[in-house]
């Protein structure tokens, strides 16, 4: 288990990886600091068709403006946890999303 700016999990059986949360790109898997993690592929189509966004904009949204920063405005998990302790609801929600996916 690695939780940080990039997050991933790997199942190890008899010393060898048998499964991982990672896919072809870093987007697949867990919510990360700025990356969305798993997203329904239909979201990309919806944003392109109905949001009239081009693929470069959608790519930037999913890779640089999503994850913890998109959920609560902070990409640093330590800062998110501090805000949770102070009663910040958006930080608590972001933390819950991360924990749920782990």
């Amino acid at each position: 288990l690695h939780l940080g700016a990039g997050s991933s999990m790997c199942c190890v059986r008899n010393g060898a990886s048998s499964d991982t949360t990672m896919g072809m790109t870093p987007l697949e898997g867990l919510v990360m600091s700025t990356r969305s993690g798993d997203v329904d592929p239909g979201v990309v189509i919806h944003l392109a068709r109905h949001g009239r966004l081009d693929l470069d904009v959608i790519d930037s949204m999913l890779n640089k403006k999503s994850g913890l920063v998109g959920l609560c405005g902070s990409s640093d998990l330590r800062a998110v946890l501090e805000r949770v302790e102070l009663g910040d609801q958006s930080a608590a929600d972001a933390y819950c999303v991360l924990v749920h996916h782990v």
Side-chain angles (χ1 to χ4, degrees):
L1 175 64
H2 169 79
L3 298 175
S7 298
S8 63
M9 289 190 301
C10 179
C11 179
V12 178
R13 183 176 292 136
N14 298 321
S17 172
S18 63
D19 199 5
T20 181
T21 58
M22 297 178 286
M24 186 184 93
T25 72
L27 278 177
E28 186 172 5
L30 304 174
V31 170
M32 299 175 218
S33 291
T34 62
R35 292 185 179 121
S36 63
D38 286 338
V39 171
D40 181 333
V43 169
V44 175
I45 296 166
H46 178 82
L47 290 171
R49 283 187 183 152
H50 302 287
R52 301 188 193 279
L53 301 175
D54 69 34
L55 293 179
D56 290 334
V57 171
I58 295 170
D59 180 62
S60 178
M61 287 173 61
L62 294 173
N63 276 292
K64 298 176 181 172
K65 298 176 183 172
S66 295
L68 294 176
V69 77
L71 292 167
C72 72
S74 178
S75 62
D76 186 333
L77 184 55
R78 294 167 296 195
V80 172
L81 292 174
E82 288 175 8
R83 289 172 50 194
V84 169
E85 291 294 319
L86 296 172
D88 184 316
Q89 189 60 52
S90 68
D93 291 343
Y95 181 70
C96 285
V97 168
L98 175 66
V99 169
H100 174 77
H101 285 92
V102 171

